[in-house]
């Protein structure tokens, strides 16, 4: 690293690494592989300084207002360490077990509570996720809690719901290798509840079907009827 490079903001150094690797860094991408030790803390410091500028541009007197004196720091830590954590942290460890008993019946996990933020307005998305699996003798089985951990990792990024459950489906297809996979998500979007049309009742429900769930209408109906019992 040259002296000139060390003077660059940490975000610029990370961005340069990603671009050299020919990778993208969209809001819902994970960039953990491009962060070096200590850089996450440095990012918090950088975002804090930028957030102070945002508050100043909103004409908020953070020097004399005791409620907002530490807001920039709190927001920076919240974004990087909590609500967007899935961008900056590697995937959670998931122990995989062989399907020794050759289970091949429908498995359903859910509802899993999920929280995210709309990548258009950074408003909260809060909802529930259901996962249906049709394993085969070659599938890898994972512990029940790991579905929740993987969902949190995917959703803790600025997202749109349609892309989020596709990411979740692709991740589970790689981890489990089932004959079929179904993912359904129902969520409240605060970019509608809190702003814009201010419609507090509207929810969004969407699904992704893979393999046997896509091909077998009876299996799909069974899955959807069972998760309906849980709503």
């Amino acid at each position: 690293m040259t002296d000139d490079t060390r003077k660059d903001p940490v975000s610029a150094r990370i961005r340069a690494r990603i671009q050299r690797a020919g990778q993208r860094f969209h809001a819902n991408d994970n960039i953990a592989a491009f962060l070096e030790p200590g850089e996450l803390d440095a990012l918090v410091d950088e975002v804090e300084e930028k957030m102070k500028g945002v508050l100043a541009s909103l004409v908020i007197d953070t020097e004399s207002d005791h409620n907002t004196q530490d807001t920039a720091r709190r927001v920076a830590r919240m974004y990087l360490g909590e609500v967007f954590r899935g961008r900056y942290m590697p995937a959670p460890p998931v122990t995989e077990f062989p399907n020794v008993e050759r289970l091949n019946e429908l498995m359903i996990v859910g509802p899993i509570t999920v929280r995210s933020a709309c990548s258009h307005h950074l408003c909260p998305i809060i909802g529930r996720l259901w996962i249906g699996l049709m394993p085969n003798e070659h599938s890898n089985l994972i512990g029940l809690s790991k579905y929740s951990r993987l969902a949190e990792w995917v959703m803790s990024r600025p997202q749109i719901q349609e892309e989020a459950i596709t990411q979740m489906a692709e991740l589970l297809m790689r981890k489990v290798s089932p004959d079929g996979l179904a993912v359904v998500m129902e969520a409240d979007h605060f970019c509608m509840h809190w702003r814009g049309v201010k419609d507090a009742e509207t929810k969004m429900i969407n699904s992704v079907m893979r393999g046997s769930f896509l091909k077998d209408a009876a299996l799909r109906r069974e899955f959807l009827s069972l998760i309906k019992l849980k709503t």
Side-chain angles (χ1 to χ4, degrees), residues 98-116:
N99 187 4
V100 175
E101 298 298 325
R102 299 188 176 186
L103 303 174
N104 62 353
E105 300 291 340
L106 173 61
M107 299 167 51
I108 297 176
V109 180
I112 299 169
T113 300
V114 290
R115 301 169 184 84
S116 189

Side-chain angles (χ1 to χ4, degrees), residues 110-145:
I112 299 169
T113 300
V114 290
R115 301 169 184 84
S116 189
C118 169
S119 51
H120 297 157
H121 296 95
L122 302 187
C123 288
I125 299 172
I126 300 177
R128 299 182 295 175
L129 186 76
W130 290 265
I131 297 164
L133 287 162
M134 281 294 292
N136 58 52
E137 61 182 293
H138 305 294
S139 294
N140 298 315
L141 304 180
I142 63 177
L144 184 62
S145 67

Side-chain angles (χ1 to χ4, degrees), residues 44-160:
V44 171
D45 294 338
E46 183 180 334
V47 172
E48 178 186 3
E49 289 305 309
K50 298 291 178 64
M51 187 54 60
K52 286 178 180 178
V54 171
L55 294 171
S57 294
L58 290 171
V59 198
I60 296 174
D61 182 359
T62 57
E63 293 184 8
S64 62
D65 178 6
H66 63 281
N67 288 317
T68 58
Q69 284 175 353
D70 297 318
T71 293
R73 184 70 178 177
R74 286 192 291 263
V75 170
R77 293 176 66 182
M78 176 187 71
Y79 279 163
L80 289 152
E82 296 178 274
V83 296
F84 300 157
R85 178 182 173 86
R87 293 200 78 229
Y88 307 102
M89 302 302 292
V94 174
T95 304
E96 302 169 8
F97 305 95
N99 187 4
V100 175
E101 298 298 325
R102 299 188 176 186
L103 303 174
N104 62 353
E105 300 291 340
L106 173 61
M107 299 167 51
I108 297 176
V109 180
I112 299 169
T113 300
V114 290
R115 301 169 184 84
S116 189
C118 169
S119 51
H120 297 157
H121 296 95
L122 302 187
C123 288
I125 299 172
I126 300 177
R128 299 182 295 175
L129 186 76
W130 290 265
I131 297 164
L133 287 162
M134 281 294 292
N136 58 52
E137 61 182 293
H138 305 294
S139 294
N140 298 315
L141 304 180
I142 63 177
L144 184 62
S145 67
K146 303 305 185 288
Y147 292 98
S148 295
R149 293 186 187 280
L150 291 172
E152 180 185 24
W153 183 66
V154 168
M155 296 302 300
S156 295
R157 310 168 193 179
Q159 285 279 15
I160 64 170

